[in-house]
Amino acid sequence: MTTLTPDLLRKMHAWWRAANYLSVGQIYLHANPLLEEPLTLAHIKPRLLGHWGTTPGLNLLYVHLNRLIREHDLDMINVIGPGHGGPGLVASTYLEGTYTETYPDISRDRDGMRKLFRQFSWPGGIPSHVAPETPGSIHEGGELGYSLAHAYGAAFDNPDLIVACIVGDGEAETGALATSWHSNKFLNPARDGAVLPILHLNGFKIANPTVLARIGREDLTALLRGYGHEPHFVVGDDPMTVHQQLAQTLDAVLAQIHTIQAAARAPHAPIPASLPRWPMIVLQTPKGWTGPKEVDGLPVEGTWRAHQVPITQFTNAEHIRQLEDWMRSYAPQELFDANGRFREEFAALAPTGNRRMGANPHANGGALLAPLVMPDFRDFAVPVSVPGGTMGESTRVLGTFLAEVMRRNTGSANFRLFGPDETASNRLGAVVEVAGKAWMAGIDAVDLNLSADGRVMEVLSEHLCEGWLEGYLLTGRHGLFSCYEAFVHIIDSMFNQHAKWLEVCRQIPWRLPIASLNYLLTSHVWQQDHNGFSHQDPGFIDVVANKKADVVRIYLAPDANCLLSIADHCLRSRNYVNLIIAGKAPALQWLDIESAAHHCAVGAGIWPWASNDSGDAQGGPDVVMACAGDVPTLETLAAVALLRGYVPDIRIRVVNVVDLMALQPQSEHPHGLDDDAFDAMFTLDRPVVFAFHGYPGLIHRLTYRRHNHDNLHVRGYKEEGTTTTAFDMVVLNNIDRYQLALDAIRRIPRLAHLVDDATRRYEASITRHKAYISEHGEDLPEVRDWRWPA
Amino acid sequence: MTTLTPDLLRKMHAWWRAANYLSVGQIYLHANPLLEEPLTLAHIKPRLLGHWGTTPGLNLLYVHLNRLIREHDLDMINVIGPGHGGPGLVASTYLEGTYTETYPDISRDRDGMRKLFRQFSWPGGIPSHVAPETPGSIHEGGELGYSLAHAYGAAFDNPDLIVACIVGDGEAETGALATSWHSNKFLNPARDGAVLPILHLNGFKIANPTVLARIGREDLTALLRGYGHEPHFVVGDDPMTVHQQLAQTLDAVLAQIHTIQAAARAPHAPIPASLPRWPMIVLQTPKGWTGPKEVDGLPVEGTWRAHQVPITQFTNAEHIRQLEDWMRSYAPQELFDANGRFREEFAALAPTGNRRMGANPHANGGALLAPLVMPDFRDFAVPVSVPGGTMGESTRVLGTFLAEVMRRNTGSANFRLFGPDETASNRLGAVVEVAGKAWMAGIDAVDLNLSADGRVMEVLSEHLCEGWLEGYLLTGRHGLFSCYEAFVHIIDSMFNQHAKWLEVCRQIPWRLPIASLNYLLTSHVWQQDHNGFSHQDPGFIDVVANKKADVVRIYLAPDANCLLSIADHCLRSRNYVNLIIAGKAPALQWLDIESAAHHCAVGAGIWPWASNDSGDAQGGPDVVMACAGDVPTLETLAAVALLRGYVPDIRIRVVNVVDLMALQPQSEHPHGLDDDAFDAMFTLDRPVVFAFHGYPGLIHRLTYRRHNHDNLHVRGYKEEGTTTTAFDMVVLNNIDRYQLALDAIRRIPRLAHLVDDATRRYEASITRHKAYISEHGEDLPEVRDWRWPA
C-alpha cells in the first residue's frame, strides 16, 4: 500500500494538519492565530461554537480528492452531508486559495488568518455550518438528510462531472438519505456524471452511537450492496496507514467509475443486462480524530463527546494548555511561513483554477445557467371565444406546452420534470411521450415510456424528487416538480431550507442567480374527492407564505390559459420558489389567451364580463364576489348566476386573484397591489365574499391591513372531506355556490328582507343535493352540467 | 409443500375468492350483489373508485394470517401499508364478522352485502382507503410510507403481540419507509412484541415499475439482510402453489420469532452478541391477481394498469360481460348461501372473539388505555418569590418532572419519550438517567445510558420518532416527542395525517379516546443563534393551526413553572395534538407555581405585577404590551422597564398569552376567550404591541375578528438570522426590547412629542449593540445581565 510516494504522503499529511489547525483555530481563537505567543484566555472566543467531530474526516477527504483531481484532471465538486463541519470546508478552500479569491479581506497571511478565525460563528461573520457563503458548496449543512439527493441532481446531465458526496453516519439514519441510495437506478452512466458516495462512519451522533456503525461489517456490506453499490472500506486510526489506504481506494473507485462510463459510452454500447454496480467508500475513522483524547478525565476522541467543541470551558490553566498543545500538535510553524502564509510546497497540492472544488462553476450554478429556449405559450392556448364556452383540463394543456419546452431543450439537456409516480395521474403525459421516464433497471414489455435517456424523473419519494431537482437547479439547470397537493407537505422542510438558501444567496454578490424552483401542485384538495380525506390538504401555501417575500411567489390558475401564462413566467424567472396550483379535471375555461396573459401579469383583476356593477359612478357594486383557485372560481361564478336570477337588479363585481401575493400590501411583497389599486377592486365599504382555494385564515393574514378588511368574508377549506362527489366536497366546506350566494344576500343591507327566503332556498338546495348524491352516487345534473349564461 | 391439508386449502382458497369477490363488488356494484340476475349497467356505480391492484394480495395475507392466529392462538394485528386496498380489509373483516358487529346495518346477508358494496366510496358511505372507519386498523392508507414505523410503535411494550406489517413496494421507495427497516435495532425481543414485515412485491405503482421489483433477487436479499432481516421469498402466480408456500413460510417465520423471543426471555438470558436476525417475508405475486388479463386488448393483470379500476368504463356490452365473468370466476354461489350469508364451513376459518384482527383491542387503543400515574407537578416547581428573581432552564425543569412520570409508570410500561438524538441537547437528560435509551445493537464503554430496556427512543430520524410514537399512542399508550423546532417540519405531513385521523375518530363512537400526541419543541428559533439560519423556523405552529379546533392545542410557555403546568395538562388529555414550545436556555422565571397553574388554565392574562395601569377606571393603559413565548416575554418585560424609565407616568398593561388558541373567537376554538374577556385584556381602543414567538401573520389570522384588531401591531420572526448572539437574533427580527419600546412610544398619541427623541435613542442602542457584539463576540453586559426591577 504505497500509492503515495513518501514525499507526497508527507505533503498531504501536512495539508491535512494545516486544515485541522485552521479548523480548531476557527472554533476557538479570535487572536494569536499562529500561536506566536503563549495562548491565553484573551485569545479565546467568549462563545465557543462549531462541530469538531466530523471535521478531521472532511479535511482528510478534501486533500485526497484534490490529489485525485490533479492526477486525473477531474471535474469534481463535493457535497458535504455532515455540513456542521463548516470550519473544515472553510479551511480547505482557504488553503487552496479560493476562499481568499472570493473574500479578498481574508488574505493568505497572518492578518487574514486572524480574520478567518475570528469571523467563524462571530456576529457579522460567517455561519457555523457549510452554507451559501462557503465557496464550492451547493448544500447547506444544517438540516441533515439531503446530501445524496443533491449530489445526484448535480450529476444528472453533467457527463464529465464527478460529485463526491460525503454522507454522515448520523445523517444516514434520516428517511430522505435512506432512500437516496436508490438514486443510482436513475443515473445513466452514458449521459450523466458520476456520484461517489463516501459514508463517513465515525460512529457517533450528538449523544449516541450511530446505527450503521453498530450493525457489523457483514450487514453494512449487505445493505450497501443491496443499494446497488460496491463498498470499499477504509478503516483505521493511524494517519499514515489511512492516507495510503484512502489513496489506493480512491484510485480504485475512480477506475471503476471510468470503466462503467466507458462501457456505457462506447459506440453502439449494448444495453447492459443489469444495473452498473457503482463503487462507494466507507471511511471509518475516529470522531474528532487528532483532537484531545480526554478532557477532564473523560474520553473525547473517538466518542460522541467530540461532536461539537471538545474543550467547552476554560476554567483553569490546564484547559488552555490542553488547547495549545492540541493546536501545536499540528506544528503550525512547519505549515505556515513567518507571515502566516501556507507554505508553497504544500499549497501546490491544490488543483488549479476552476478545478479547485472551491472554484468549480458547477457549485455556483448561476455561472453556467443558460435560459431555456421557450416556445410561445400562446400557441398552446385553449380557444375561448366566450367565457365558459369551452371545457379544458388545465394540466393536460400545460403538458403540451411543457412537452414543447422539453423538445426544444433536449439538445442542451438542461430541463427535467420530477414527480412521485404522478406525472400521468397529473395529466402531464405529453411530456413523458416526448422525453420518456428515466429508468436504468430492467424494462419489461408492459412498461410504457421507460428509457435510460428519459428526462421525466419518477420515483415514489417526494424527498428524491425535491432533492434531485434542487441539486439540478443549484448546478445551473431548469426543472419543475409536479406533486399531489396534500403530499408536498412531505418536503416542507426541504422547501424551507431551499428558500433559506435563496434568501441568503440574494445577499451574496458572487452567487449568480439560478433558475427558480417551480412546484406544480395538482390533484388538489378539491379534486381528491375520490381519494378522500388523507389526500385533502392545501396548507403548503401557508408554509410558502411564511418565507421572505423576496423569494416566494404563489399562483392559483383559474383556467388553462392562465396556467400557460404562469408557467411561462415561472420558467423564465430566477431565484424564486414559484408555487403553482392548478386542477387536472375537465373544467370550464374563462379567459382567452391574451386576457389570461394580461390578468396574470397584473395578478388580480375585475372580470368585467362576469360583473354587472357599473363602477363607483352608479353607486358601486352591492357585493364583491372574489375568488382564487379554479374550483372556487367556478363556484363563485355559479353563485353570481344564481344571485342574478334571484335578484335581477343586484350589482355584482367579480374579482379573480391569480397571484396571491397581490393581496399583500406593497410594503410586504413586491407583487402587492398598491392601496389604490386594491381599493379600486375591493371597494372601501362593500361586502366582499371571497372563495379561496386554501385555508381561509391565510387571506385574512394577507389582507388585514387593507382598508376594507372588516367587510371581507372568506370561505375556504376547513378540514371537511371524505370520499364523496366533487361538488359535495365544496358543500362540506361551505364554499359551494349556494352558500356563497347566501353569504352575499346576508351581507347586502338593502336585501335584508330576502335573508329568510334565501336561507330557505339555500337549505332546500343542500337537501336536494344530499338526497341526490345519496341516491345516485354522483352530482346533480344541474351542477354537473352547469354553464355560465352566455 | 403440503402444510395445508387439501380440505383446509380448499376452504382457505374459498375465503380468498370470497374476499376478492367482495372487493370487486365494492368497487363496481351498487345492486345485484350476488349476481342473481345478469349484470347490467344499472347495477354498476356511476363513479368507479378504488384500488384493485394490491387488494388480492392483502386478501390472501388476511386468510393466511387468520390460520396462523387460530393454530397458535396468536395476539396479532395487521398494519396495511398499501392501504389504498381498502376494499380488501373491509371484505375480510366482513367475512370474519367484525364488520357487521361494528356496523350492524351491514348485515351478513344479501341486503347487507348490497349495502356493503354500495357504501364503498359512495357519498355518505366509507372512504376508499383503509381508514379510521375500518375495524382493526391503526393506520390510514392514504399517504404512503409510515406503516412499518407504526407497526414498531404498536409492538413496543406489547410482548405478546405480533404486528404483521404489509409494506407495499411502492411505499418502500419513500424516505420514511426506507429508514423504518432499521427500527429492529430498537425492539427488545424480551420486552417488546414482534413485527413481521411482509414486503408485497407486486411490481408496479400507478404508472411505473417499482425499484425493489427490478433490482434482482440478489440485491434485494442483500438489502433486506442489510436491514437486519432474514427474508423468506414466496413467489408465484399459481394460487394453489402460493397458498402452500405462504403457509409453510408463515409457519417458519413464526417459529423463528418464537425462537428469538424464547432466547431473550429465558431466565438469566445472556446478552446476545449480535442483533437478532428477525424473519420477514417477500410476497411476490401479480398486481391485480385474478383480475382481467386484458381489457380492450391491453394487458392488465400483472401490470401497472391493474393499480386502480381495471375496467374503467362500460361503453359496450363486452365490458359488462367481462366484469360479470370476472366476478363469476370466484363462483359466488359456492361461497355464499341463498341469503347471501358466507357459508359456515368457510366462515369458521376465522379466529374467534378478540383474536379476530378486526376486533383486536390493540387496534382500538382507547379500549386499553390506562391513565398515567402522575406526580404533582407542583413538586417540581422552581421557587419564584418575586417575578424575575430566579433563573431556570425550562426544559431541564420539565425533565425532572418527566423523569418522575417515567419512574411511576415504568411498572405499567406505557410511557416513552421520543427524540432525534436531541434528548440531552434539549436538556431532558433526567429522563434518560431514569429510563435509559433503547439500544439493541452493541454497547461500547464510551456509550452512556444505552440499554436494551431503555424507554427513551433516540434515532436521527424525525420520521421514526413520530411514526413510533403514533403507533404507540394508537395502541393505547402515552408519550412525548421532543424535537428541534425547525426540524419538526420534517414530519409536517405525518402530523397532518395523525390530526386527520383524530378528527375522523371523533365522529366514530366505537373509536375510544387515545392519549394525545404531545410535541415539545425546544432548541427553538430564538435559541438557535449558534446553529444559524437553517435551524431557525417557527412555522410548525402555522401547520398545526390549520387543523380542526377540535384536535389541536398550542402552548407557549413563558417560563419553567408554566411549562410544568402545561405538560401536566397535556399528559392527562385525550385525542388532541398538543404543541408545546419552550426554551432550554437559562432564563428569568416569572410566575410561582400557583400563579403559573392559574395562568395556564385561563390561557392568557394580564400580569399585574408587570403592569401599572389601574384599570379602565383611570383611563386605562396607554399601551398594552402583549407577548407569547419565552424570549418575546423577556423582551417585552425589558421594553416595559425601558419605557417606565423613559416616561415615568406611562401606563402599561402587560398581557401574556400561553394558550395561543385563546386569541381566536370562541366560535372558532373551544379555548377562545369570549369577546368580553378578550376586550378586558386587550382594550377596545388602545395600541397593542404584541411580541410573538413565531411568524407574525399568525396572530393577525387568529385575531382579525377581535374588536381592537386594527390597533394590534405584531412583531415576530421574519426570516432574519444567522450564527450570531442570542440578543442579535431578536434585533435582526425587530422584536428586541428597544424596538418594542419604540413601537409603543410611536403608537401612544400623547407621547407624539417624544417620537423623534425615542427614535434617536433606539438607533443609538442598536448601534451600541452592534458595535459591542462585533468587538466582543457576545452580548452587551446590560443585556446579558438585565433583571426585572424589583
Side-chain angles (χ1 to χ4, degrees):
Chain A
M1 291 212 297
T2 54
T3 301
L4 307 174
T5 65
D7 186 56
L8 183 55
L9 174 60
R10 179 183 64 83
K11 289 175 178 168
M12 288 175 67
H13 188 60
W15 178 299
W16 185 47
R17 284 155 46 210
N20 289 341
Y21 179 83
L22 295 176
S23 301
V24 182
Q26 290 176 76
I27 294 172
Y28 281 102
L29 301 189
H30 65 89
N32 191 19
L34 288 162
L35 294 181
E36 291 167 302
E37 46 184 310
L39 194 64
T40 72
L41 197 57
H43 305 135
I44 298 174
K45 298 182 180 186
R47 292 165 73 243
L48 294 174
L49 305 174
H51 292 76
W52 165 247
T54 187
T55 300
L58 301 181
N59 290 339
L60 182 78
L61 287 164
Y62 207 94
V63 63
H64 278 263
L65 293 173
N66 271 351
R67 180 190 69 88
L68 214 63
I69 293 169
R70 277 183 68 93
E71 292 193 4
H72 301 272
D73 190 29
L74 300 179
D75 192 8
M76 177 180 276
I77 62 172
N78 65 84
V79 173
I80 306 296
H84 286 51
L89 275 289
V90 171
S92 294
T93 51
Y94 179 74
L95 293 175
E96 75 182 12
T98 54
Y99 202 90
T100 301
E101 290 167 29
T102 310
Y103 303 105
D105 197 42
I106 309 295
S107 50
R108 303 179 81 179
D109 55 20
R110 177 190 299 102
D111 192 52
M113 195 189 295
R114 186 186 56 77
K115 290 177 181 163
L116 183 85
F117 287 4
R118 183 184 171 94
Q119 70 171 2
F120 177 79
S121 289
W122 192 270
I126 63 168
S128 57
H129 306 155
V130 178
E133 290 88 344
T134 315
S137 178
I138 60 165
H139 179 79
E140 158 68 46
E143 186 171 322
L144 302 178
Y146 314 128
S147 60
L148 199 50
H150 284 166
Y152 277 92
F156 292 144
D157 290 318
N158 273 326
D160 299 327
L161 185 67
I162 299 180
V163 185
C165 179
I166 305 176
V167 176
D169 52 352
E171 175 188 23
E173 295 175 14
T174 66
L177 203 292
T179 199
S180 292
W181 297 103
H182 287 302
S183 300
N184 53 18
K185 282 87 192 177
F186 300 87
L187 183 103
N188 178 342
R191 171 185 64 169
D192 302 320
V195 173
L196 173 59
I198 302 171
L199 176 63
H200 188 196
L201 203 67
N202 71 20
F204 296 92
K205 297 169 287 193
I206 302 180
N208 290 293
T210 61
V211 169
L212 296 189
R214 299 284 174 96
I215 62 175
R217 176 78 73 96
E218 183 193 330
D219 276 15
L220 181 58
T221 302
L223 182 67
L224 298 171
R225 287 187 62 85
Y227 281 132
H229 281 291
E230 183 62 49
H232 297 250
F233 285 81
V234 176
V235 180
D237 58 7
D238 171 59
M240 294 306 155
T241 312
V242 171
H243 280 305
Q244 291 287 8
Q245 264 196 27
L246 181 56
Q248 186 187 36
T249 303
L250 281 167
D251 285 349
V253 299
L254 181 66
Q256 286 183 18
I257 287 171
H258 284 155
T259 301
I260 291 169
Q261 290 181 333
R265 294 173 188 187
H268 316 297
I271 294 171
S274 62
L275 288 160
R277 185 167 292 284
W278 292 95
M280 66 166 290
I281 294 174
V282 179
L283 176 65
Q284 186 174 347
T285 56
K287 185 149 188 155
W289 199 12
T290 73
K293 304 268 184 241
E294 286 193 356
V295 177
D296 292 333
L298 294 171
V300 174
E301 189 196 35
T303 82
W304 48 272
R305 289 193 191 86
H307 184 76
Q308 294 178 326
V309 179
I311 308 170
T312 53
Q313 39 189 352
F314 292 87
T315 48
N316 59 44
E318 168 63 16
H319 290 141
I320 297 176
R321 192 194 57 74
Q322 192 173 19
L323 173 59
E324 183 166 357
D325 287 353
W326 173 15
M327 294 192 71
R328 289 199 192 279
S329 75
Y330 301 118
Q333 71 289 351
E334 294 174 21
L335 308 170
F336 302 98
D337 68 17
N339 291 321
R341 188 179 178 86
F342 194 36
R343 291 184 191 276
E344 187 52 35
E345 66 166 336
F346 309 135
L349 291 181
T352 55
N354 285 354
R355 289 307 200 212
R356 294 171 300 175
M357 288 190 283
N360 192 307
H362 291 292
N364 184 13
L368 299 175
L369 184 69
L372 288 171
V373 179
M374 296 286 285
D376 188 340
F377 66 92
R378 294 170 183 81
D379 295 344
F380 303 84
V382 177
V384 178
S385 52
V386 293
T390 320
M391 294 290 284
E393 293 159 278
S394 289
T395 56
R396 198 182 295 279
V397 173
L398 178 69
T400 62
F401 172 66
L402 292 176
E404 183 60 23
V405 175
M406 185 65 88
R407 194 178 284 115
R408 293 195 185 197
N409 293 279
T410 298
S412 31
N414 61 349
F415 180 59
R416 293 201 189 201
L417 203 66
F418 300 78
D421 193 38
E422 294 160 3
T423 305
S425 171
N426 289 335
R427 303 187 188 170
L428 299 169
V431 191
V432 172
E433 282 161 30
V434 167
K437 296 179 282 192
W439 187 258
M440 292 303 302
I443 296 177
D444 285 357
V446 299
D447 298 328
L448 268 189
N449 297 315
L450 298 186
S451 155
D453 294 323
R455 306 192 66 73
V456 176
M457 311 301 294
E458 291 222 288
V459 61
L460 211 163
S461 164
E462 287 77 3
H463 289 109
L464 284 183
C465 292
E466 172 81 12
W468 290 346
L469 174 55
E470 288 178 2
Y472 200 65
L473 298 173
L474 288 161
T475 48
R477 284 80 63 78
H478 308 261
L480 182 142
F481 175 14
S482 91
C483 192
Y484 278 23
E485 185 183 47
F487 301 150
V488 74
H489 275 298
I490 291 170
I491 54 79
D492 277 1
S493 209
M494 298 181 79
F495 154 77
N496 278 342
Q497 296 300 331
H498 188 76
K500 281 175 176 282
W501 177 279
L502 293 176
E503 288 171 14
V504 174
C505 285
R506 295 181 76 90
Q507 316 303 321
I508 302 175
W510 61 268
R511 284 273 177 200
L512 301 176
I514 61 171
S516 300
L517 172 53
N518 300 307
Y519 293 102
L520 173 67
L521 302 191
T522 181
S523 303
H524 62 53
V525 54
W526 307 111
Q527 293 175 349
Q528 286 290 350
D529 45 295
H530 56 301
N531 271 315
F533 197 42
S534 63
H535 286 52
Q536 293 157 353
D537 189 304
F540 190 62
I541 306 174
D542 300 79
V543 174
V544 171
N546 273 340
K547 288 289 163 280
K548 271 199 189 167
D550 287 352
V551 302
V552 296
R553 303 289 182 267
I554 302 169
Y555 301 97
L556 294 133
D559 69 4
N561 286 339
C562 288
L563 179 59
L564 286 171
S565 170
I566 293 164
D568 177 76
H569 175 76
C570 292
L571 288 173
R572 296 171 188 273
S573 74
R574 300 288 179 266
N575 271 1
Y576 296 146
V577 175
N578 295 309
L579 175 61
I580 309 170
I581 301 174
K584 65 180 184 182
L588 297 172
Q589 301 297 307
W590 309 112
L591 302 187
D592 63 53
I593 191 71
E594 290 307 330
S595 305
H598 175 75
H599 182 53
C600 294
V602 179
I606 298 170
W607 280 2
W609 52 268
S611 306
N612 69 345
D613 71 304
S614 312
D616 292 337
Q618 314 202 354
D622 290 310
V623 63
V624 177
M625 302 293 284
C627 46
D630 48 10
V631 168
T633 298
L634 171 70
E635 292 305 313
T636 294
L637 291 169
V640 169
L642 284 171
L643 285 166
R644 290 215 203 135
Y646 183 52
V647 186
D649 72 341
I650 195 170
R651 299 187 309 278
I652 302 176
R653 177 181 296 175
V654 173
V655 172
N656 182 269
V657 178
V658 175
D659 178 345
L660 205 59
M661 294 297 130
L663 295 176
Q664 279 200 303
Q666 239 175 1
S667 57
E668 298 290 322
H669 196 285
H671 286 199
L673 294 169
D674 67 37
D675 276 342
D676 289 347
F678 189 92
D679 295 344
M681 283 181 208
F682 290 95
T683 80
L684 286 169
D685 56 0
R686 298 309 153 92
V688 180
V689 176
F690 197 126
F692 175 51
H693 174 87
Y695 293 100
L698 181 60
I699 300 299
H700 292 293
R701 171 178 142 190
L702 296 173
T703 59
Y704 68 89
R705 286 286 181 234
R706 297 297 194 175
H707 295 132
N708 198 29
H709 177 256
D710 283 351
N711 288 314
L712 187 61
H713 177 70
V714 185
R715 296 285 184 181
Y717 183 66
K718 54 175 196 176
E719 282 290 310
E720 292 287 346
T722 181
T723 314
T724 185
T725 69
F727 185 66
D728 198 41
M729 272 301 297
V730 294
V731 170
L732 288 171
N733 289 281
N734 295 114
I735 189 178
D736 62 274
R737 54 198 65 182
Y738 306 123
Q739 179 73 58
L740 297 175
L742 178 62
D743 287 345
I745 297 286
R746 284 185 170 156
R747 279 165 182 76
I748 300 171
R750 73 179 180 90
L751 301 183
H753 63 288
L754 291 176
V755 168
D756 286 349
D757 181 65
T759 304
R760 278 190 299 274
R761 285 166 181 255
Y762 163 77
E763 286 164 358
S765 297
I766 298 301
T767 302
R768 194 168 65 251
H769 153 73
K770 289 288 184 189
Y772 189 90
I773 62 170
S774 173
E775 173 69 17
H776 297 275
E778 60 182 347
D779 281 322
L780 281 161
E782 67 199 67
V783 169
R784 278 185 283 140
D785 303 335
W786 180 84
R787 294 293 179 273
W788 176 248
Chain B
M1 291 210 296
T2 53
T3 300
L4 306 175
T5 64
D7 185 56
L8 182 55
L9 174 59
R10 179 183 64 84
K11 289 175 179 168
M12 288 175 67
H13 188 59
W15 178 299
W16 185 47
R17 284 155 47 210
N20 288 340
Y21 179 83
L22 295 176
S23 301
V24 182
Q26 288 177 76
I27 293 173
Y28 281 102
L29 301 189
H30 66 90
N32 191 18
L34 288 162
L35 294 181
E36 290 166 302
E37 46 184 311
L39 195 64
T40 72
L41 196 58
H43 305 134
I44 298 174
K45 298 182 180 185
R47 293 165 73 243
L48 294 174
L49 305 174
H51 292 77
W52 165 248
T54 188
T55 300
L58 300 181
N59 290 340
L60 182 78
L61 287 164
Y62 207 94
V63 62
H64 278 263
L65 293 173
N66 271 351
R67 180 190 68 88
L68 215 61
I69 292 168
R70 276 182 67 93
E71 292 193 4
H72 301 271
D73 189 28
L74 300 179
D75 191 8
M76 178 180 277
I77 63 171
N78 64 85
V79 173
I80 306 297
H84 286 50
L89 275 289
V90 170
S92 294
T93 50
Y94 179 73
L95 293 176
E96 75 184 10
T98 55
Y99 202 88
T100 301
E101 289 166 30
T102 311
Y103 303 105
D105 196 42
I106 309 295
S107 48
R108 303 179 82 179
D109 55 20
R110 177 190 298 103
D111 192 52
M113 195 190 294
R114 185 186 57 78
K115 289 177 181 163
L116 182 86
F117 286 7
R118 183 183 171 96
Q119 69 170 4
F120 176 80
S121 290
W122 191 271
I126 63 166
S128 56
H129 306 155
V130 177
E133 289 88 343
T134 315
S137 178
I138 59 165
H139 179 79
E140 158 69 46
E143 185 171 324
L144 302 178
Y146 314 129
S147 59
L148 198 50
H150 284 167
Y152 277 91
F156 293 143
D157 290 319
N158 272 328
D160 298 326
L161 185 66
I162 299 180
V163 186
C165 180
I166 305 175
V167 176
D169 52 352
E171 175 188 23
E173 295 175 13
T174 65
L177 203 292
T179 199
S180 292
W181 297 103
H182 287 301
S183 300
N184 52 19
K185 283 87 192 176
F186 300 87
L187 183 103
N188 179 341
R191 170 185 64 169
D192 302 321
V195 173
L196 172 61
I198 303 170
L199 177 63
H200 189 195
L201 203 69
N202 71 21
F204 296 92
K205 297 169 287 193
I206 301 180
N208 290 293
T210 61
V211 168
L212 295 190
R214 297 285 174 97
I215 62 175
R217 175 79 73 98
E218 182 193 330
D219 276 14
L220 181 58
T221 302
L223 183 66
L224 298 171
R225 287 188 62 85
Y227 282 132
H229 280 291
E230 184 63 47
H232 297 250
F233 285 80
V234 175
V235 180
D237 58 8
D238 171 59
M240 294 306 155
T241 312
V242 172
H243 279 306
Q244 290 288 8
Q245 265 195 28
L246 181 55
Q248 185 187 39
T249 302
L250 281 167
D251 285 349
V253 299
L254 181 66
Q256 287 182 17
I257 288 170
H258 285 156
T259 300
I260 291 169
Q261 290 180 334
R265 295 173 187 187
H268 316 296
I271 295 171
S274 61
L275 289 160
R277 185 168 293 284
W278 291 96
M280 65 166 290
I281 294 174
V282 180
L283 175 66
Q284 188 174 346
T285 55
K287 185 151 187 153
W289 198 13
T290 72
K293 303 267 184 244
E294 287 193 355
V295 176
D296 293 332
L298 293 171
V300 174
E301 189 196 35
T303 83
W304 48 272
R305 289 193 191 85
H307 184 76
Q308 294 177 326
V309 179
I311 308 170
T312 53
Q313 39 189 351
F314 291 87
T315 48
N316 59 44
E318 168 62 16
H319 291 142
I320 297 176
R321 192 195 56 73
Q322 193 173 20
L323 173 60
E324 184 167 356
D325 287 353
W326 173 16
M327 293 192 72
R328 289 199 193 279
S329 76
Y330 301 118
Q333 71 290 351
E334 294 175 21
L335 308 170
F336 303 97
D337 69 17
N339 290 321
R341 187 179 178 87
F342 193 36
R343 291 184 191 277
E344 188 51 34
E345 64 166 338
F346 309 134
L349 290 180
T352 54
N354 285 353
R355 288 307 199 212
R356 293 171 301 174
M357 288 190 282
N360 193 306
H362 291 291
N364 183 13
L368 298 176
L369 184 68
L372 288 171
V373 179
M374 296 286 285
D376 188 340
F377 67 92
R378 294 169 183 83
D379 296 343
F380 303 84
V382 178
V384 179
S385 52
V386 293
T390 319
M391 294 290 284
E393 293 161 276
S394 289
T395 56
R396 199 181 294 280
V397 173
L398 177 68
T400 62
F401 171 65
L402 292 176
E404 183 60 24
V405 175
M406 185 66 86
R407 194 177 287 115
R408 293 195 185 197
N409 294 279
T410 298
S412 32
N414 61 349
F415 181 59
R416 293 200 188 202
L417 202 67
F418 300 78
D421 193 36
E422 294 160 2
T423 304
S425 170
N426 289 335
R427 302 186 189 170
L428 299 169
V431 191
V432 172
E433 283 162 31
V434 167
K437 295 179 283 191
W439 188 259
M440 292 304 301
I443 297 177
D444 285 357
V446 299
D447 298 328
L448 268 189
N449 297 317
L450 298 185
S451 155
D453 293 323
R455 308 192 65 74
V456 175
M457 311 301 294
E458 290 223 289
V459 60
L460 211 163
S461 165
E462 287 78 3
H463 289 108
L464 285 184
C465 293
E466 172 81 12
W468 291 345
L469 174 55
E470 288 177 2
Y472 200 65
L473 298 174
L474 288 161
T475 47
R477 283 78 64 79
H478 308 261
L480 182 142
F481 175 14
S482 91
C483 191
Y484 278 24
E485 184 184 48
F487 300 150
V488 75
H489 275 298
I490 291 170
I491 53 80
D492 277 1
S493 209
M494 298 181 79
F495 154 76
N496 278 342
Q497 296 301 331
H498 189 75
K500 281 175 177 281
W501 177 279
L502 293 176
E503 288 171 15
V504 174
C505 285
R506 295 180 78 89
Q507 315 304 321
I508 302 175
W510 61 269
R511 284 274 178 200
L512 301 176
I514 61 171
S516 300
L517 172 52
N518 299 308
Y519 294 102
L520 173 68
L521 303 190
T522 180
S523 303
H524 62 53
V525 54
W526 307 110
Q527 292 174 351
Q528 285 289 350
D529 45 294
H530 56 300
N531 271 315
F533 196 42
S534 62
H535 286 51
Q536 293 156 353
D537 189 303
F540 190 64
I541 306 174
D542 300 78
V543 174
V544 171
N546 273 340
K547 288 290 165 281
K548 271 200 190 167
D550 287 351
V551 301
V552 296
R553 302 289 182 267
I554 302 170
Y555 301 97
L556 295 134
D559 69 4
N561 287 339
C562 288
L563 179 58
L564 286 171
S565 170
I566 293 164
D568 176 75
H569 176 76
C570 292
L571 288 173
R572 296 171 189 272
S573 74
R574 299 288 179 266
N575 271 0
Y576 296 146
V577 174
N578 295 309
L579 176 61
I580 309 170
I581 301 174
K584 67 181 183 182
L588 296 173
Q589 300 297 307
W590 308 113
L591 302 187
D592 63 53
I593 192 69
E594 289 307 331
S595 306
H598 175 75
H599 183 53
C600 295
V602 179
I606 298 169
W607 279 2
W609 53 268
S611 307
N612 69 345
D613 71 304
S614 312
D616 292 338
Q618 313 203 356
D622 290 310
V623 64
V624 177
M625 301 293 284
C627 46
D630 48 11
V631 169
T633 298
L634 172 70
E635 292 305 315
T636 294
L637 291 170
V640 169
L642 284 171
L643 285 166
R644 291 217 203 133
Y646 183 51
V647 187
D649 72 341
I650 194 169
R651 298 187 310 277
I652 302 176
R653 177 181 298 173
V654 173
V655 172
N656 182 269
V657 179
V658 175
D659 177 345
L660 205 59
M661 294 297 131
L663 295 175
Q664 279 199 304
Q666 238 176 2
S667 56
E668 298 290 321
H669 196 285
H671 286 199
L673 294 169
D674 68 37
D675 276 343
D676 289 346
F678 188 93
D679 296 344
M681 282 181 207
F682 290 95
T683 80
L684 286 169
D685 56 1
R686 299 309 152 91
V688 180
V689 176
F690 197 125
F692 175 51
H693 174 87
Y695 294 100
L698 181 61
I699 299 298
H700 292 293
R701 171 177 142 191
L702 297 174
T703 59
Y704 68 89
R705 286 286 181 233
R706 296 297 193 175
H707 296 131
N708 198 29
H709 177 255
D710 283 351
N711 288 315
L712 187 62
H713 177 70
V714 185
R715 296 286 183 180
Y717 183 66
K718 54 176 197 175
E719 282 290 310
E720 292 287 346
T722 181
T723 314
T724 184
T725 68
F727 186 67
D728 198 42
M729 273 300 298
V730 294
V731 170
L732 288 171
N733 289 282
N734 295 115
I735 188 177
D736 62 273
R737 55 197 65 182
Y738 306 123
Q739 180 72 58
L740 297 174
L742 179 61
D743 287 346
I745 297 286
R746 284 185 170 156
R747 279 166 182 76
I748 300 172
R750 73 179 180 91
L751 301 183
H753 61 288
L754 291 176
V755 167
D756 286 349
D757 180 66
T759 304
R760 278 190 299 274
R761 286 166 180 254
Y762 164 77
E763 285 163 359
S765 297
I766 298 301
T767 303
R768 194 169 64 250
H769 154 73
K770 290 287 185 189
Y772 190 89
I773 63 170
S774 174
E775 172 69 18
H776 297 276
E778 61 182 348
D779 282 322
L780 281 161
E782 67 200 66
V783 168
R784 278 185 284 139
D785 303 335
W786 180 85
R787 295 291 178 273
W788 176 249

